Each structure stands twice: as structure tokens, then as C-alpha cells.
Amino acid sequence: EDLDPTGYRREFITEAFKKEYCRLVRRVGEKYGLMCHWAKLEVSEDPNDASAGVAESVRARLGPRVVNAYNAARDLYDPKRVLSSPLVEQVFGSSSSASNQE
């Protein structure tokens, strides 16, 4: 049984998550060196949005060694980026080998 046939409740929860939870985790995280799991982050492409710098902060927090190792694994195991998503591309970037494998 669908308890939310209009989708309103899900939309409300999603917007609250983006606006409140993500902002709170970033604010507290900066102070105490915490970071939400990167897949739970909401990353905006709007430069005026407060979450616009999230992808950069995740890359900085993980460091180039981790980002490069992750991308090397992606190149090896998912060269066509079948398992990728816009969030993964924003956070980790795309590799030149991905575009050569089409």
C-alpha cells in the first residue's frame, strides 16, 4: 500500500534533508573534523548555493592519494562508468580513460 501516493511526503523529507541535515553536518563537521559519507552529500552546481563547495571539500578532506586511488580503481573495474553517477563525477571527476572506452 502506498501511504504517500502524491509523493509530497518524500519530497518534503528530501528537501528537509538537503536544507537542514546537510547544512548541519557541514557546520558541525568543520568544527570537529567530521564528514558525512560522501554519497549522502547533496552537491549543488549553483555557485551561489551554500553547498556549492561540497565536492571540493570532500576532495580536499580525502586528499589526492585517496582520490587518485579511487579513480584508478574506477578506471580498472568500471572503465565505461556504468556504475557512476553525477555525484560521483562531481566529487571525483572523470578520467580520460573513461571517455576513450566508448
Side-chain angles (χ1 to χ4, degrees):
E1 178 180 349
D2 188 355
L3 300 176
D4 186 21
T6 64
Y8 173 77
R9 188 177 321 155
R10 177 153 180 89
E11 184 179 332
F12 175 79
I13 291 169
T14 299
E15 288 305 310
F17 177 81
K18 289 179 182 180
K19 291 181 180 175
E20 302 300 324
Y21 174 79
C22 292
R23 188 178 307 141
L24 175 66
V25 168
R26 281 192 301 276
R27 188 171 62 237
V28 172
E30 287 175 9
K31 183 175 181 181
Y32 296 104
L34 304 172
M35 184 178 78
C36 186
H37 186 281
W38 62 266
K40 296 287 186 192
L41 297 172
E42 293 293 331
V43 181
S44 174
E45 295 181 13
D46 180 356
N48 298 318
D49 189 342
S51 65
V54 171
E56 292 81 9
S57 69
V58 171
R59 282 192 300 273
R61 172 74 181 199
L62 295 175
R65 186 176 62 86
V66 171
V67 171
N68 291 339
Y70 182 81
N71 282 326
R74 291 172 69 204
D75 289 343
L76 181 63
Y77 296 110
D78 188 19
K80 294 183 180 180
R81 298 301 192 253
V82 173
L83 302 175
S84 194
S85 71
L87 173 64
V88 171
E89 294 304 319
Q90 270 189 296
V91 173
F92 294 99
S94 56
S95 171
S96 59
S97 67
S99 58
N100 293 336
Q101 302 271 336
E102 298 179 295

